[in-house]
Amino acid sequence: MNLADLLREAGQRNPGKKAFVVLGEDSRTQLTWGEFDAAAERVAVGLAKRGLAPGDRVALGMHNTVHFPIAYF
């Protein structure tokens, strides 16, 4: 079991619990474990549709936002 597996499990076990709360100057973004898991799955499916497979390497460059862990996992 790796970290991605643990995060998926948290999404399935606690889908309505808050996973992230990001406070910005003018906004507050909240994301539940279920939303996080679903969003990360959409990224994975999108990468697979582009021909990437488990074990392939991908570079990730972006600002430190709630979207970073979604794309990372």
Side-chain angles (χ1 to χ4, degrees), residues 2 4 10 12 14 16 24-25 27 35 39 42 45 49-50 54 61-63 65-66 68 70:
N2 60 35
Q12 293 169 350
N14 304 301
E25 287 183 24
S27 66
E35 292 167 333
R42 285 192 301 273
V45 168
K49 284 182 179 179
R50 287 169 177 76
M62 61 191 312
H63 294 285
T65 68
V66 70
F68 182 86
I70 291 169

Side-chain angles (χ1 to χ4, degrees), residues 52-71:
L52 291 156
D56 288 347
R57 294 182 180 167
V58 176
L60 178 62
M62 61 191 312
H63 294 285
N64 188 16
T65 68
V66 70
H67 303 290
F68 182 86
I70 291 169

